[in-house]
Amino acid sequence: MRLRSLRAIVAVERHVGLIAAAWALVLGVVVIRRLEVLAVAPSWSSLAAHLALIVSPALGLVLAARFFPRHALVALPEIVLARIGRWRRVDPLTAQSHPSFGASGLMAGLAIGLLINVAMRTGEFMIGVPAIASVGPGWARMLFFSLAADCVLFNLLYAAAFVLAVRHVPWFPRVLLLIWTMDVASQLVIAQLLGDQALPAPVARGLVLVLTGNIQKTMLSMALWLPYLLLSERVNVTYRRRVRR
């Protein structure tokens, strides 16, 4: 299982450029078909939002890869947040030679799951949020652009977190926790913004389901993975350079 997960994570990282290109191609076709059904021409802002949806995952991958090159030695955070358990700090070479070092096993599932989350989030947006044209009520435009901005931002962040995970960047656990927290806060902000709009009852019910579902999925991810990120020897060796006493 460990070897299979290691091969899977290495294959995904090696072909991440190809994956991003295939993503952009497929989603670009979907967006074109989506905009073709509009009765009137879409606005430039709507076109820009759809373009951002297409490129945001690739942008997150490229930026993270640029800031954290493969095999680069990144300093540990000065403030230690994970204090559960008895651990002993080791030097980078000792950590890298440890049998538990690397983003394999359950860590591979978490890392690849970040990319799957990007695909699922975008799919839900494409299915659940109608494309906005150059005309329409104010609440419809606010709904579209609020959910589009949310999707673009977290596509970028989750894709970047994947790079931090597979390149063993020590900041990965706390960055992922920050993204999860931002994700929950974003749903609450959108609910606050759109709560003041005169939304039709069916739209309001659908929005509540979408936002509640996003919060529930994020909280479930936190409940499942936070204990692992705190207690796993693999995580501590790989991202905190410490072993059990």
Side-chain angles (χ1 to χ4, degrees):
M1 178 181 175
R2 177 181 177 277
L3 291 176
R4 288 179 179 177
S5 63
L6 184 59
R7 284 195 292 265
I9 206 70
V10 169
V12 171
E13 189 197 8
R14 283 182 178 176
H15 298 93
V16 73
L18 180 61
I19 293 172
W23 164 272
L25 177 62
V26 172
L27 191 58
V29 172
V30 173
V31 166
I32 292 173
R33 296 295 300 272
R34 173 182 168 91
L35 296 177
E36 283 179 346
V37 303
L38 293 177
V40 296
S43 64
W44 286 107
S45 55
S46 177
L47 291 173
H50 282 93
L51 179 60
L53 279 172
I54 295 172
V55 303
S56 55
L59 184 61
L61 294 171
V62 170
L63 289 177
R66 178 71 61 88
F67 280 106
F68 302 101
R70 188 180 288 110
H71 306 307
L73 184 61
V74 180
L76 292 169
E78 294 183 2
I79 300 176
V80 179
L81 298 181
R83 299 178 179 273
I84 300 176
R86 297 175 59 84
W87 305 96
R88 173 174 58 86
R89 183 68 59 82
V90 296
D91 61 86
L93 290 179
T94 302
Q96 292 177 15
S97 64
H98 194 279
S100 294
F101 183 86
S104 58
L106 288 178
M107 261 309 304
L110 173 57
I112 295 176
L114 296 174
L115 294 183
I116 295 174
N117 181 62
V118 170
M120 292 180 59
R121 198 181 198 104
T122 305
E124 290 173 354
F125 175 84
M126 289 294 180
I127 295 172
V129 182
I132 194 70
S134 55
V135 294
W139 65 262
R141 291 194 295 272
M142 181 171 286
L143 173 68
F144 173 83
F145 289 112
S146 297
L147 295 179
D150 176 81
C151 190
V152 168
L153 174 62
F154 289 101
N155 279 359
L156 189 151
L157 292 177
Y158 281 116
F162 167 81
V163 175
L164 269 62
V166 299
R167 295 196 172 177
H168 312 142
V169 178
W171 291 84
F172 166 71
R174 61 183 66 191
V175 166
L176 183 56
L177 177 59
L178 177 61
I179 294 173
W180 280 334
T181 305
M182 290 173 58
D183 202 346
V184 173
S186 177
Q187 311 311 305
L188 298 177
V189 169
I190 292 173
Q192 181 67 34
L193 287 175
L194 294 173
D196 297 331
Q197 300 294 313
L199 300 179
V203 175
R205 288 193 295 268
L207 178 64
V208 169
L209 290 176
V210 169
L211 299 181
T212 303
N214 287 341
I215 292 176
Q216 289 175 341
K217 284 183 288 187
T218 303
M219 296 299 292
L220 179 60
S221 296
M222 294 175 69
L224 289 175
W225 289 109
L226 270 180
Y228 176 76
L229 292 173
L230 288 171
L231 302 174
S232 165
E233 184 173 38
R234 179 174 302 283
V235 173
N236 279 279
V237 171
T238 305
Y239 302 104
R240 301 186 181 104
R241 298 173 195 157
R242 61 188 191 182
V243 297
R244 294 190 188 278
R245 290 184 179 179

